[in-house]
Amino acid sequence: AEAESIAIAESVAKFEAESIAIAESAANEEWMTSVNQSLDNSLTQMQGWALGLLDRDGYPTENGTPDPYFAWALFIVDAQVENENKAIVLVGSEFMSLSEYEKTSIIDYLQNVIQNELYGASTPNSVYITIYAGNNIIGKSKILNMREYKWED
């Protein structure tokens, strides 16, 4: 009877642990969805500023002035955070004609935006980014310094 009680207690504990893991996974998935939606909104707003389509408060305007500070965002087609340490980025074809320095600068700006979405501020932490042009990987963060990138030829 004691062995049976222990087995039941172990089963209950395992069930509770699995329930907690499922709840944490669902909460994490909800959080990632929220982060990615916010990231998408931020990129859309920055692209609007870059093109002069939005005023400084983010409202549409017909006679806005393009803001070159946000021009980097025009090279980003999409960015998705997979978890708090990893993101994937889709860039437009124009990105391919840029110098390595320009590519790195653009992805660094994006690193800052992603950090802000994940942590609410810029932090010394960076995320591992894989950069795609179409279906092809064209660059990746380096493991030891995720603000350095290995670009494919």
Side-chain angles (χ1 to χ4, degrees), residues 93-112:
S93 57
E94 311 83 21
F95 188 86
M96 300 303 292
S97 63
L98 300 175
S99 71
E100 212 170 276
Y101 174 81
E102 291 167 321
K103 290 176 185 176
T104 296
S105 294
I106 288 168
I107 301 302
D108 273 347
Y109 277 114
L110 183 62
Q111 275 274 14
N112 293 336

Side-chain angles (χ1 to χ4, degrees), residues 80-139:
Q80 295 286 312
V81 175
E82 293 186 334
N83 60 47
E84 58 272 3
N85 302 311
K86 188 175 178 188
I88 55 173
V89 177
L90 178 63
V91 295
S93 57
E94 311 83 21
F95 188 86
M96 300 303 292
S97 63
L98 300 175
S99 71
E100 212 170 276
Y101 174 81
E102 291 167 321
K103 290 176 185 176
T104 296
S105 294
I106 288 168
I107 301 302
D108 273 347
Y109 277 114
L110 183 62
Q111 275 274 14
N112 293 336
V113 174
I114 289 171
Q115 286 177 356
N116 193 52
E117 298 302 337
L118 284 171
Y119 308 111
S122 187
T123 69
N125 301 331
S126 296
V127 296
Y128 183 87
I129 295 181
T130 304
I131 303 114
Y132 289 85
N135 293 325
N136 300 317
I137 295 175
I138 61 159

Side-chain angles (χ1 to χ4, degrees), residues 2-18:
E2 187 177 326
E4 189 175 321
S5 293
I6 291 172
I8 290 171
E10 287 174 350
S11 292
V12 168
K14 183 178 178 189
F15 175 78
E16 288 174 349
E18 288 176 2

Side-chain angles (χ1 to χ4, degrees), residues 4 6 19 25 29 32 37 39 41 55 57-58 65 72-73 75 85 90 92 98 104 109 116 121-122 135 140 149 151:
E4 189 175 321
I6 291 172
S19 295
S25 176
E29 190 173 315
M32 279 293 118
Q37 184 62 52
L39 177 59
N41 292 342
D55 67 17
D57 296 318
T65 304
W72 66 268
F75 292 95
N85 302 311
L90 178 63
L98 300 175
T104 296
Y109 277 114
N116 193 52
S122 187
N135 293 325
K140 295 179 182 178
Y149 309 96
W151 299 105

